[in-house]
Amino acid sequence: MSESNEADQFYESIPIFDRFGSLMDPALYKPLPNNWSIGIADIVQSTKAIRENQYKAVNMAGAAVIAALKNALDGSDFPYVFGGDGASFAVPPRDLKLARDALAATTAWVKNDLDLVMKAALVPVACIRAQGVDVRVARFSPSPNVTYAMFSGGGLEWADGTMRRGGFAVVPAPPGIRPDLTGLSCRFEEMPAARGVVLSLLIVPARGADPDAFRAAIDDIVAVIAKSPDMSNPVSLAGLRMRWPAAGAELEARAARNAEVPLFVRRSAVLVRTFIYYFILRYGIRVGSFVPMTYLQQVVENSDFRKFADGLRMILDCTPDLVGEIERRLVAAASAGTVRYGLHRQDAAVMTCFTPSATDSNHVHFIDGARGGYSSAATALKEMTALDET
């Protein structure tokens, strides 16, 4: 069997589950082949950038990693996870050079066009396993249109730490090399909390925690959230708002691949394009096979607001009572030495979209909190972990 067929069959062979409450079932996760590599990218000092009101740019940078690789692979499916201020993914050997080139181009674009610094690395799975941790992948389907990868085993966390220390670094591309970010945009406005609080939530196992106890703690939190309407999804039809010009128009213009075209020309093109888009969606105008209401319903269904990547990561629209219940259970689990966690409360969520074609149903929408999001929750998690180690 060829390397290409082996890679395709591996990811396709992973069982797809559609009930989020099953995410801690070990049988759903399949070990990555030893010759694959893990890609990691992260914005340096993202918390500072968010304090300076650059949260849309930070999210755009994280989503750009996925868009660049997706376009480099001609739309082929691969395991990835959006982290708010970065992203992680896995690629087989045949795609390693494409992944390196896409990461190099993206880190250069982030610096040159967004004025942010992104670190990136490509870490062999074999090196990760040599450290006594693993990388296992599951596939979750929130709707019939898309699947998202889930990662377990501790390998992503180890690779992230290695990347931050400079290991397996991807060198930014030279000037003039840009990633293909076709389909990347952020045209929807902030989505205000409909139930009171938008909660960014990160939960990881405490050092030395019993795996069964950690799984039980995650199952408990997910079960509590499952009792809320729509699993506390922060994306709803009522909450999808657009205006023109879109708040993300400048970022979309900077993402345009043709750098030879002056930025003011790219801005003008984006303004024209987004006006047409706004007009069609605002008035529900059907254009060929594009049905606005169908597309908007798919936006809700395809939104990536919950995931597992060596820990539970969620952006939730909660009542204050539900936030209190979640926190009480986390305090108890932390006291028992089972979990460490980070919470961040805010008043809205934000969406970054990857829509290569609006007429295809597999467009994806990455959700984060609008006032710090995953980055601030991660800071709270690090502070808790640091206190435990002192």
Side-chain angles (χ1 to χ4, degrees):
M1 184 182 296
S2 71
E3 182 182 278
S4 175
N5 287 337
E6 285 181 0
D8 291 341
Q9 290 188 9
F10 165 73
Y11 197 49
E12 290 176 0
S13 71
I14 296 176
I16 297 174
F17 70 102
D18 59 9
R19 194 177 71 83
F20 192 75
S22 303
L23 87 159
M24 296 308 293
D25 181 355
L28 295 173
Y29 292 80
K30 190 170 183 178
L32 271 177
N34 221 37
N35 60 352
W36 281 46
S37 296
I38 294 296
I40 300 279
D42 185 75
I43 294 295
V44 178
Q45 294 186 329
S46 59
T47 304
K48 178 177 179 291
I50 289 167
R51 282 200 305 266
E52 295 170 352
N53 206 35
Q54 296 187 70
Y55 60 90
K56 276 186 172 291
V58 168
N59 280 182
M60 191 81 157
V65 173
I66 298 165
L69 187 51
K70 195 80 169 176
N71 288 329
L73 299 180
D74 294 324
S76 297
D77 205 6
F78 62 94
Y80 64 81
V81 61
F82 171 71
D85 57 357
S88 307
F89 60 85
V91 288
R94 69 150 196 256
D95 295 330
L96 186 58
K97 184 180 184 305
L98 287 173
R100 186 175 298 278
D101 291 346
L103 271 180
T106 302
T107 55
W109 173 77
V110 166
K111 176 61 177 175
N112 295 333
D113 284 80
L114 303 185
D115 197 26
L116 297 169
V117 176
M118 174 179 277
K119 280 189 173 183
L122 279 164
V123 188
V125 169
C127 293
I128 293 173
R129 289 203 171 108
Q131 303 302 313
V133 290
D134 201 2
V135 186
R136 299 188 293 271
V137 183
R139 293 172 72 194
F140 170 61
S141 177
S143 78
N145 310 313
V146 295
T147 61
Y148 291 114
M150 306 277 181
F151 291 86
S152 71
L156 245 59
E157 192 69 23
W158 185 87
D160 181 76
T162 297
M163 179 269 296
R164 292 174 188 275
R165 294 188 295 271
F168 301 97
V170 172
V171 178
I177 304 297
R178 295 173 65 86
D180 182 358
L181 301 179
T182 302
L184 184 64
S185 67
C186 45
R187 297 175 183 175
F188 291 100
E189 296 300 298
E190 290 182 6
M191 297 169 288
R195 303 179 181 100
V197 181
V198 169
L199 180 71
S200 301
L201 173 64
L202 297 178
I203 312 173
V204 300
R207 181 177 295 180
D210 177 70
D212 290 336
F214 176 68
R215 283 196 292 270
I218 296 298
D219 285 341
D220 180 53
I221 295 296
V222 171
V224 170
I225 296 167
K227 296 175 183 177
S228 66
D230 301 317
M231 278 285 290
S232 289
N233 186 350
V235 186
S236 66
L237 284 174
L240 289 175
R241 300 178 300 123
M242 298 185 69
R243 67 177 176 87
W244 187 86
E250 176 69 15
L251 293 173
E252 190 171 341
R254 291 180 178 275
R257 193 175 188 185
N258 193 350
E260 291 76 24
V261 176
L263 183 57
F264 79 90
V265 176
R266 284 180 273 152
R267 286 190 186 113
S268 298
V270 166
L271 287 174
V272 171
R273 188 164 60 245
T274 54
F275 177 76
I276 295 170
Y277 185 83
Y278 167 80
F279 189 80
I280 288 171
L281 289 180
R282 174 68 176 80
Y283 295 101
I285 301 170
R286 180 168 183 160
V287 180
S289 60
F290 179 74
V291 181
M293 186 50 67
T294 299
Y295 173 77
L296 292 174
Q297 184 60 48
Q298 290 167 352
V299 170
V300 176
E301 295 171 352
N302 295 4
S303 293
D304 179 30
F305 71 97
R306 50 186 176 170
K307 64 202 80 180
F308 191 88
D310 286 344
L312 185 64
R313 303 163 183 249
M314 305 183 83
I315 304 294
L316 305 171
D317 187 341
C318 302
T319 64
D321 286 346
L322 178 56
V323 175
E325 183 64 24
I326 291 170
E327 191 161 22
R328 281 191 292 274
R329 290 168 186 258
L330 288 175
V331 168
S335 298
T338 302
V339 307
R340 296 295 175 261
Y341 65 90
L343 301 176
H344 183 68
R345 297 166 173 85
Q346 55 241 294
D347 60 358
V350 66
M351 176 188 295
T352 305
C353 306
F354 179 55
T355 309
S357 172
T359 57
D360 292 334
S361 62
N362 61 349
H363 44 96
V364 296
H365 306 273
F366 305 112
I367 312 303
D368 199 1
R371 309 282 180 263
Y374 282 127
S375 182
S376 294
T379 298
L381 172 61
K382 290 173 187 174
E383 290 172 353
M384 171 178 277
T385 303
L387 284 173
D388 289 342
E389 293 175 352
T390 56

